[in-house]
């Protein structure tokens, strides 16, 4: 490799020195300045080249061959240093030398052959042959056709193609104005392929041809060492002007003059200009042609929202859905191959996140190695730690320009490497977040910076296509991008930083979840003492402008659960306790169960690691509390035996602590289990809960125990006594400084059931309808569904209220399906019954 680089540097230096004394030096110098500027060459590249040219001319005039050799050796060393440090410089230098050689009017001496139209020497001997190259014939009518061909099958994107036809195609057909379309999306989502596909299908709309500029090769590094994303727009204009048959000698030096000249040459043409891999709106505006019916089609990792002011239509490209991903695999590997391993193919689409470039590489691996099957690839990709490594072709396959391997990681790396240091650091740290979705506050906590600073850096990452900004002011990283960020963090961050970040983020979620819990209801039994944490944290739910606590908890549900999976025992069990408030209102049974199981495991571990008796006691109380809470989702999931076992352990733990309110609460949950297992014993459990609450001075707990006692009395046939107990419980729940309308509505629903059992159907319907309304209002939808089903049962038995019974049952089905309840299927069958 070193020998190849040395040879290339020598060739480049020879060419450069030859150009310095040629007629082509003026045009060549501009190209060379761009090459050196993109490599952050120290000093003024243009001035240095000018000075070198003058020195070389003086040396030749003086016949000083040693000075000439010294100048050439200096440039040879300079080029070699660039080639060693920049992996893409070699490909660009080869391309540059090839371009310059085709137009140069200088002499190159190589292998005894003199190339060029002029040669000057002191002595010329015989055996000389002159070959004069002829320029290609000039054809002003030839139209450019530069958009690269699409070399792989193209599937999907029907909607996006329709939008392009509607917006850009209509402009070309009407020949009115100039259309600008921007295809945006993360790296590898298929923006360039989409542009090429539409260009191919729309060829007849542009009689003056199709031009193409790839901005990836034109980007200039910033002085800070990162990449600004600004491209050499001046060179792009020069490329386009050459394509429009403007000679190099006629192309002005300044950007403003080139822009003006481009407008003049495009004014009478109807053409398509594809600008690939644009990073800034400023790269597009000078290249918008003037000819009516022309179209500019831009691809970019960012949104380029400012171009809306220029009339652009933003067309976002999302990863493929399951159907689209399978279609791509079928196009590349054959429909029979996909049909033979349907499940594995579907899982491959999932593991690739629907990203077309990942699916293309996976398909290539299948085609290149007969021993690789879809099933074996699925097994290989299952492990997140090695997933990106598996999404690459063998090392023998390299990109001709960059020299990088064909891999998803290399693609993301091309967007990551140019980032400024602070944005790159945030990108890496986001890979360690427990979830792919987050807000600016979480990003700030992850990086240990302020929220405005995090928002600024997130804007940078959005512009780079590495982070997606959503309408709800949240952000998301594609799964594969997140894995790449995590790998970068593992290589570049200091040891211990991941643990520190995880603790910061988990503490952040604990504080906000606790605030949300208290915003829903201040008066509740809580084991964790979080006063110190909450005193030093900002409550986002305080005041009228704060977010709705339950909506926030719902939006952050997966993130909170993911944070709970980390073995941070002192944080996880308080988080599980506070998180329960969401599940009391919205019965996501699977998530509730997992959260409590993680909390119980953490509480037990905290007790085992405790250093003081008070720490042991707190952890034991927490375990009792969480085990009793776990009985609720277990019962609803049909795991009654396990619920009973958890409650027996909870009772033992609670009795050992002597905590009255906790013992009362555990007895209440035990009674609710006995409602199904042994109704006669449930009454005794509720009476015991009522007595313990009263002894502890927990008036709300006593009222709730009274409610469950009334329900148990009704179930045992004591309907009159049940009505009295339930009415007293409802009164006590409402007659408080902080009325508990949710539990009072549940008591009202129980009153309706007692009325029904006493044969008072209309009183029952009135109470249940009002209870369902209030429970929906309080977002206690699970209990609202129970009331609605009871109403349906009453209507079916009495033949009344036939006009609304289907509405009641439909709403109950919606609620149970949303929560994943096993009752949803039975209720839907009832709904489909024609006699309902």
């Amino acid at each position: 490799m070193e020998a190849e680089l040395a040879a290339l540097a020598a060739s480049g230096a020879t060419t450069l020195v030859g150009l310095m004394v040629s007629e082509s030096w003026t045009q060549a110098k501009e190209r060379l300045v761009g090459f050196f500027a993109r490599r952050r060459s120290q000093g003024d590249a243009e001035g240095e080249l000018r000075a070198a040219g003058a020195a070389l001319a003086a040396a030749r005039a003086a016949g000083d061959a040693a000075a000439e050799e010294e100048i050439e050796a200096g440039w040879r060393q300079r080029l070699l240093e660039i080639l060693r440090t920049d992996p893409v410089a070699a490909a660009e230098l080869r391309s540059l030398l090839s371009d310059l050689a085709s137009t140069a009017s200088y002499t190159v001496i190589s292998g005894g052959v003199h190339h060029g139209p002029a040669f000057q020497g002191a002595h010329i001997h015989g055996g000389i042959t002159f070959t004069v190259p002829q320029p290609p014939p000039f054809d002003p009518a030839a139209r450019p056709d530069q958009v690269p061909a699409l070399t792989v099958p193209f599937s999907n994107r029907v909607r996006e193609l329709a939008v392009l036809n509607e917006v850009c195609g209509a402009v070309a057909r009407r020949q009115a104005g100039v259309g600008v379309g921007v295809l945006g999306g993360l790296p590898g989502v298929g923006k360039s392929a989409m542009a090429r596909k539409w260009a191919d299908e729309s060829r007849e709309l542009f009689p003056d041809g199709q031009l193409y500029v790839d901005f990836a090769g034109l980007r200039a590094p910033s002085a800070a060492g990162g990449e600004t994303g600004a491209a050499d727009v001046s060179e792009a204009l020069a490329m386009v002007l050459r394509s429009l048959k403007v000679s190099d000698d006629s192309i002005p030096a300044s950007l403003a003059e080139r822009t003006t000249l481009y407008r003049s040459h495009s004014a009478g043409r109807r053409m398509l200009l594809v600008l690939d891999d644009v990073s800034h709106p400023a790269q597009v505006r000078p290249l918008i042609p003037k000819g009516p019916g022309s179209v500019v089609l831009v691809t970019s990792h960012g949104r380029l929202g400012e171009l809306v002011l220029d009339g652009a239509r933003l067309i976002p490209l999302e990863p493929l859905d399951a159907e689209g991903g399978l279609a791509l695999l079928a196009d590349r590997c054959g429909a029979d191959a996909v049909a033979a391993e349907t499940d594995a193919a579907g899982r491959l689409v999932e593991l690739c996140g629907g990203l077309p470039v990942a699916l293309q590489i996976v398909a290539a691996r299948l085609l290149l190695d007969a021993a690789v099957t879809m099933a074996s690839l699925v097994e290989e990709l299952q492990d997140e730690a090695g997933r990106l490594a598996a999404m690459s072709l063998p090392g023998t396959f390299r990109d001709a320009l960059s020299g990088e391997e064909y891999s998803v990681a290399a693609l993301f790396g091309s967007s990551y490497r140019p980032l400024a240091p602070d944005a790159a650091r945030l990108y890496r740290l986001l890979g360690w977040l427990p979830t792919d979705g987050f807000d600016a506050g979480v990003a700030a906590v992850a990086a240990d910076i302020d929220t405005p600073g995090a928002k600024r850096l997130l804007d940078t990452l959005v512009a780079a296509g590495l982070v997606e900004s959503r309408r709800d002011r949240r952000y998301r990283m594609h799964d594969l991008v997140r894995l790449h960020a995590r790998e970068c963090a593992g290589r570049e961050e200091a040891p211990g930083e991941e643990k520190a970040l995880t603790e910061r983020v988990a503490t952040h979620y604990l504080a906000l979840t606790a605030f949300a819990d208290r915003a829903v209801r201040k008066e509740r039994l809580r084991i964790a003492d979080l006063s110190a944490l909450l005193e030093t944290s900002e409550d986002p739910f305080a005041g009228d402008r704060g977010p709705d606590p339950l909506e926030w908890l719902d939006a952050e549900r997966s993130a909170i659960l993911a944070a709970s999976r980390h073995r941070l025992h002192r944080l996880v069990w308080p988080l599980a306790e506070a998180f329960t408030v969401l599940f009391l209102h919205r019965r996501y049974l699977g998530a509730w169960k997992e959260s409590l199981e993680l909390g119980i495991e953490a509480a037990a571990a905290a007790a085992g690691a405790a250093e003081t008796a008070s720490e042991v006691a707190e952890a034991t109380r927490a375990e009792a509390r969480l085990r009793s809470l776990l009985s609720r989702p277990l019962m609803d999931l049909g795991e009654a035996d396990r619920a009973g076992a958890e409650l027996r352990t909870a009772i033992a733990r609670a009795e050992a602590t002597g905590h009255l309110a906790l013992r009362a609460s555990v007895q209440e949950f035990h009674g609710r289990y006995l409602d199904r297992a042994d109704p006669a014993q449930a009454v005794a459990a509720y009476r015991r809960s009522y007595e313990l609450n009263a002894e502890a001075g927990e008036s709300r707990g006593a009222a709730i125990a009274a409610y469950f006692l009334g329900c148990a009395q009704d179930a045992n046939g004591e309907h009159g006594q049940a009505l009295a107990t339930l009415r007293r419980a409802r009164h006590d729940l409402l007659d408080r400084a902080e009325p508990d309308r949710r539990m009072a509505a549940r008591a009202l629903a129980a009153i309706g059931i007692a009325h029904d059992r006493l044969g008072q159907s209309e009183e029952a319907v009135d109470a249940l309808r009002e209870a369902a309304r209030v429970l929906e209002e309080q977002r206690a939808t699970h209990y609202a569904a129970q009331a609605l089903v009871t109403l349906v049962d009453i209507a079916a038995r009495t033949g009344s209220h036939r006009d609304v019974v289907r509405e009641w049952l439909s709403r109950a089905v919606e609620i149970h399906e949303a929560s994943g309840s096993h009752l949803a299927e039975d209720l839907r069958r009832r709904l489909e019954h024609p006699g309902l």
Side-chain angles (χ1 to χ4, degrees):
M1 177 62 73
E2 180 67 18
E4 293 178 9
L5 295 179
L8 180 57
S11 175
T14 300
T15 301
L16 188 153
V17 169
L19 284 167
M20 285 181 180
V21 291
S22 73
E23 296 177 1
S24 303
W25 178 234
T26 300
Q27 286 76 33
K29 182 169 62 178
E30 183 178 346
R31 301 286 301 279
L32 290 162
V33 166
F35 174 82
F36 286 111
R38 279 189 285 277
R39 268 72 207 176
R40 296 189 288 278
S41 179
Q42 295 179 352
D44 177 10
E46 184 173 3
E48 191 175 356
L49 286 167
R50 189 186 307 113
L56 182 63
R60 289 196 172 179
D64 190 347
E68 290 186 46
E69 173 58 29
E70 184 177 350
I71 293 171
E72 183 172 340
W75 285 108
R76 184 163 58 246
Q77 183 60 33
R78 177 75 164 280
L79 287 171
L80 185 57
E81 290 173 358
I82 290 174
L83 295 173
R84 285 169 174 165
T85 57
D86 186 347
V88 302
E92 185 175 344
L93 182 59
R94 290 190 187 97
S95 176
L96 179 59
L97 294 177
S98 175
D99 290 346
L100 294 175
S102 65
T103 58
S105 55
Y106 61 89
T107 297
V108 178
I109 304 176
S110 177
V113 179
H114 308 278
H115 304 277
F119 174 72
Q120 180 177 350
H123 302 282
I124 301 176
H125 301 281
I128 299 173
T129 301
F130 294 92
T131 302
V132 180
Q134 297 297 318
F138 178 69
D139 181 6
R143 72 175 197 171
D145 189 8
Q146 300 176 349
V147 179
L150 193 63
T151 58
V152 296
F154 185 90
S155 55
N156 311 294
R157 306 303 190 194
V158 174
R159 183 187 65 82
E160 292 87 349
L161 284 170
V163 172
L164 279 175
N165 286 327
E166 174 189 346
V167 177
C168 299
V171 169
R173 283 187 287 270
R174 290 196 308 266
Q175 301 183 38
V178 176
V180 180
V182 180
L183 295 171
L186 75 162
V189 81
K191 302 179 294 295
S192 297
M194 174 80 174
R196 295 175 187 184
K197 176 67 173 177
W198 190 78
D200 183 62
E201 291 185 347
S202 308
R203 192 177 303 276
E204 74 283 355
L205 296 177
F206 304 103
D208 295 305
Q210 299 182 349
L211 305 177
Y212 176 81
V213 177
D214 182 2
F215 274 79
L218 297 178
R219 290 196 177 95
S222 69
E227 184 171 304
T228 65
D232 191 347
V233 183
S234 180
E235 176 57 26
L237 278 165
M239 292 169 59
V240 172
L241 287 169
R242 293 187 193 101
S243 300
L244 297 178
K245 307 304 179 183
V246 178
S247 67
D248 282 347
D249 292 339
S250 300
I251 297 176
S254 73
L255 174 62
E257 290 176 311
R258 290 182 179 187
T259 303
T260 302
L261 183 62
Y262 172 59
R263 289 176 187 149
S264 298
H265 277 268
S266 63
R269 305 174 189 260
R270 179 153 51 104
M271 60 187 186
L272 171 67
L273 176 59
V274 175
L275 304 179
D276 213 353
D277 206 2
V278 168
S279 55
H280 287 281
Q283 297 165 353
V284 177
R285 293 190 178 104
L287 287 157
I288 296 177
K290 193 174 180 181
S294 292
V295 168
V296 179
L297 185 54
V298 180
T299 75
S300 175
H301 298 333
R303 291 184 176 178
L304 305 185
E306 293 177 32
L307 289 178
V308 172
L309 300 175
D310 299 276
R313 177 67 176 268
L314 308 183
I315 307 169
L317 263 63
E318 302 292 337
L320 299 174
D321 59 16
E323 182 180 356
L326 287 173
L328 188 152
L329 284 179
D331 285 340
R332 298 293 285 122
C333 302
D336 291 344
V338 171
E341 296 186 87
T342 303
D343 292 342
R347 182 58 180 148
L348 279 180
V349 174
E350 292 177 13
L351 291 168
C352 291
L355 196 64
V357 69
L359 288 167
Q360 292 280 9
I361 290 175
V362 164
R365 286 196 59 190
L366 290 166
L367 293 170
L368 289 169
D369 189 346
V372 176
T373 66
M374 292 188 185
S376 67
L377 263 182
V378 167
E379 185 176 353
E380 187 177 352
L381 295 173
Q382 293 280 22
D383 181 13
E384 282 192 348
R387 187 172 302 165
L388 285 182
M391 291 180 179
S392 63
L393 296 185
T396 52
F397 292 87
R398 297 273 172 177
D399 186 274
L401 293 178
S402 69
E404 290 186 329
E405 66 179 7
Y406 284 104
S407 71
V408 174
L411 178 69
F412 295 151
S414 66
S415 294
Y416 164 67
R417 285 192 299 272
L419 293 173
D422 52 355
R425 175 177 178 267
L426 178 61
Y427 171 74
R428 294 191 297 270
L429 297 180
L430 292 178
W432 276 333
L433 286 181
T435 179
D436 59 354
F438 52 90
D439 59 22
V442 172
V445 170
D448 202 15
I449 59 178
D450 59 40
T451 302
K455 287 181 179 178
R456 176 179 58 81
L457 296 178
L458 285 168
D459 288 343
T460 300
L461 297 179
V462 170
L466 297 171
V467 170
E468 174 190 357
S469 175
R470 296 164 56 178
R471 291 183 178 179
D472 59 0
R473 299 183 181 179
R474 290 171 58 79
Y475 300 86
R476 181 184 178 275
M477 293 182 89
H478 187 277
D479 284 347
L480 298 182
V481 176
R482 181 168 53 86
L483 290 180
H484 178 261
R486 185 182 301 174
E487 288 186 359
C488 293
R491 290 192 303 268
E492 302 176 44
E493 291 299 318
E497 179 57 31
E498 181 177 9
K499 183 176 184 295
L501 177 147
T502 303
E503 290 182 354
R504 289 196 301 269
V505 171
T507 302
H508 173 76
Y509 276 123
L510 173 58
L512 294 187
T513 303
F515 278 131
D517 177 28
R518 285 154 177 77
V520 174
R521 175 151 297 280
K522 293 180 181 178
E523 190 180 21
R524 191 195 307 280
L525 172 63
R526 297 180 179 93
I527 302 302
D529 180 7
L530 301 176
S531 55
L533 172 63
L534 301 186
E535 285 172 4
T536 58
S537 304
E538 182 179 352
D539 184 356
F541 308 103
D544 297 334
R545 302 184 64 181
D548 179 278
L550 288 177
E551 293 298 331
W552 181 86
L553 286 167
D554 209 343
E556 297 287 351
R557 184 172 78 247
S558 61
I560 296 171
L561 193 58
S564 301
R565 296 187 184 111
H566 291 279
R567 298 185 178 280
L568 303 171
H569 306 313
R570 296 181 183 277
L571 296 174
V572 171
W573 74 255
L575 186 56
E577 182 184 37
F579 198 21
T580 284
V581 68
L582 172 67
F583 304 113
L584 291 173
H585 290 77
R586 302 181 184 181
R587 311 286 278 202
Y588 301 117
L589 297 176
W592 191 10
K593 175 185 174 184
E594 182 183 0
S595 173
L596 290 169
E597 288 174 338
L598 290 168
I600 292 166
E601 179 185 350
E611 297 179 354
T612 66
S614 61
E615 290 177 348
V616 173
E618 182 186 48
T620 303
R621 290 194 296 270
E623 185 183 347
R625 172 69 167 156
L626 297 177
R627 286 187 185 277
S628 64
L629 287 169
L630 179 59
S631 67
R632 297 311 305 147
L634 290 176
M635 292 291 289
D636 288 348
L637 289 168
E639 299 181 43
D641 290 343
R642 185 182 167 195
E646 294 290 347
L647 283 164
R648 287 189 291 274
T649 303
I651 291 171
R653 298 284 192 275
E655 291 296 329
T657 67
H659 192 292
L660 287 175
L662 174 62
R663 291 167 61 198
S665 176
V666 172
Q667 284 295 329
E668 175 201 309
F669 282 107
H670 189 220
R672 296 170 75 175
Y673 163 74
L674 291 172
D675 279 336
R676 302 186 194 181
D678 190 349
Q681 293 299 316
V683 172
Y686 290 133
R687 287 193 188 279
R688 182 59 177 153
S689 176
Y690 182 87
E691 293 166 356
L692 288 168
N693 272 302
E695 185 179 351
E698 294 285 343
S699 58
R700 177 174 174 270
I704 292 175
Y707 155 68
F708 286 114
L709 175 59
C711 292
Q713 290 170 335
D714 190 44
N716 282 327
E718 304 171 32
H719 307 309
Q721 181 62 45
L723 274 176
T725 303
L726 290 167
R727 285 168 176 157
R728 182 176 73 250
R730 181 167 183 260
H731 173 272
D732 291 345
L733 288 164
L734 292 173
D735 188 24
R736 308 181 57 75
E738 185 186 6
D740 193 338
R741 293 185 174 84
R742 176 173 170 275
M743 285 302 302
R746 291 181 64 186
L748 182 58
I751 289 170
I753 293 172
H755 276 302
D756 181 49
R757 287 173 175 163
L758 288 169
Q760 300 164 352
S761 299
E762 286 307 308
E763 290 88 337
V765 169
D766 290 343
L768 286 162
R769 293 184 77 165
E770 175 63 11
R773 183 190 69 78
V774 175
L775 288 166
E776 287 263 27
E777 183 181 275
Q778 294 293 311
R779 290 174 292 186
T781 54
H782 172 75
Y783 298 109
Q786 289 181 346
L788 291 169
V789 171
T790 304
L791 283 167
V792 171
D793 292 338
I794 293 173
R797 189 177 67 250
T798 63
S800 60
H801 303 283
R802 307 298 296 176
D803 56 329
V804 291
V805 67
R806 182 171 290 276
E807 176 186 334
W808 292 338
L809 188 54
S810 295
R811 178 59 184 145
V813 169
E814 290 176 5
I815 293 170
H816 281 291
E817 285 184 338
S819 67
S821 170
H822 66 286
L823 299 174
E825 186 176 350
D826 290 339
L827 292 175
R828 180 160 290 284
R829 281 197 292 267
R830 290 182 64 179
L831 183 62
E832 294 169 355
H833 194 280
L836 182 65

